[in-house]
Amino acid sequence: MTDLAHLKFYATQPHACSYLEEEQAVTLFLAPHEPIEEPTYSRLSELGFRRSGDHLYRPHCPQCKACIPARIPVDSFQPNRQQSRILKRNRDLELRRTRPRLTDEIYELYSRYINARHADGDMYPPSRQQFQSFLVSSSPFCEFIEFREQDRLLAVAVTDRLSNGLSAVYTFFDPEQTRRSLGRFAILCQIEEARRDGLPAVYLGYWIRNCRKMNYKTEYRPLEMLISQRWVRIN
């Protein structure tokens, strides 16, 4: 197991929480001079860290424990009836694994998604610089999973391939393709990819009880949540 004792971290000053309007947030970051190597990243993911661009972070709020890391144990997962319908509905799509990159086609999809779904969030308005810093990485464990209808790009799942699972960093998709449920389909595909590659989990980031946008994460059962530094299974 990778030793973390030598790593340096720093905490931000309190700032407005992105998820709970009434709360002030503090974020713990891996120090910028520390290289993000796959063994370190895998170990930190077990402790609830996530990646954004070239940074690994986790919430570190002294007065609030609302952000709970969540992951899907892939060997135990079986799609429910609704999820099976989503898989069937999208079986015409082609999946392509590619290196992270910024192209006109990919950015146009990202921009439409942010404008339609997250105009009230921190990522609005979208920009190419924002996309580059947030989602494009040269690290060998990062990849884009593209979902295409024939040659038309419908969705991109930004995924990190770690030794202990896949980390679902971010997914964006055509906001007009509501019938396909592309966000949910992307997670189902990542579960199947992790299972095929013998990886034990798909890391979903944080679940927050009072944040409506996080509710979809509890649709995947069983689900494991990091509570008091221990992964607890919820069936």
Side-chain angles (χ1 to χ4, degrees):
M1 182 175 294
T2 302
D3 180 20
L4 303 178
H6 68 285
L7 298 177
K8 304 294 184 183
F9 299 86
Y10 74 93
T12 66
Q13 292 296 315
H15 54 276
C17 178
S18 299
Y19 302 109
L20 302 175
E21 292 183 1
E22 69 277 11
E23 296 291 347
Q24 288 285 297
V26 175
T27 306
L28 186 69
F29 281 96
L30 180 67
H33 68 269
E34 301 279 4
I36 301 180
E37 297 175 339
E38 190 278 328
T40 298
Y41 183 3
S42 294
R43 183 73 182 93
L44 287 174
S45 71
E46 296 279 350
L47 301 176
F49 279 77
R50 298 283 289 167
R51 182 179 69 83
S52 177
D54 293 326
H55 303 283
L56 293 182
Y57 73 95
R58 76 175 182 191
H60 191 63
C61 310
Q63 80 288 356
C64 177
K65 305 299 179 186
C67 294
I68 302 176
R71 69 184 183 187
I72 302 165
V74 300
D75 285 345
S76 304
F77 175 80
Q78 292 294 328
N80 60 29
R81 186 174 301 176
Q82 181 190 40
Q83 291 161 348
S84 295
R85 287 197 293 266
I86 292 172
L87 288 168
K88 183 177 181 180
R89 200 176 298 147
N90 290 286
R91 62 187 178 188
D92 61 318
L93 298 187
E94 176 192 359
L95 274 62
R96 300 180 189 174
R97 290 167 51 181
T98 69
R99 293 297 304 154
R101 68 207 190 282
L102 174 57
T103 67
D104 290 344
E105 177 190 40
I106 290 174
Y107 178 73
E108 189 274 336
L109 179 66
Y110 171 80
S111 180
R112 286 200 294 121
Y113 172 76
I114 295 296
N115 285 324
R117 295 295 186 96
H118 295 288
D120 59 344
D122 293 344
M123 297 166 67
Y124 181 85
S127 71
R128 289 176 177 270
Q129 181 181 5
Q130 171 206 66
F131 182 97
Q132 183 78 32
S133 62
F134 175 40
L135 297 176
V136 177
S137 172
S138 60
S139 298
F141 50 74
C142 306
E143 65 183 20
F144 283 0
I145 303 177
E146 300 178 7
F147 300 80
R148 292 181 178 271
E149 181 184 31
Q150 297 180 350
D151 201 44
R152 179 188 174 198
L153 182 66
L154 295 187
V156 176
V158 183
T159 308
D160 290 344
R161 185 173 297 272
L162 308 177
S163 59
N164 59 341
L166 297 182
S167 181
V169 176
Y170 197 73
T171 298
F172 54 96
F173 50 85
D174 186 337
E176 296 180 2
Q177 297 285 326
T178 54
R179 183 176 176 276
R180 286 187 178 272
S181 301
L182 289 166
R184 289 172 170 82
F185 178 61
I187 293 176
L188 293 170
C189 289
Q190 288 171 97
I191 293 170
E192 288 307 308
E193 182 139 337
R195 178 180 285 146
R196 183 172 58 248
D197 292 348
L199 298 172
V202 172
Y203 288 81
L204 295 180
Y206 305 110
W207 173 77
I208 302 172
R209 181 186 299 274
N210 293 327
C211 182
R212 180 180 54 82
K213 291 181 179 180
M214 300 289 189
N215 288 348
Y216 74 91
K217 297 182 182 183
T218 60
E219 298 172 6
Y220 302 87
R221 298 297 179 100
L223 189 69
E224 293 180 345
M225 295 186 176
L226 187 62
I227 300 172
S228 299
Q229 300 305 308
R230 187 169 68 91
W231 288 98
V232 178
R233 180 166 296 197
I234 301 170
N235 291 318

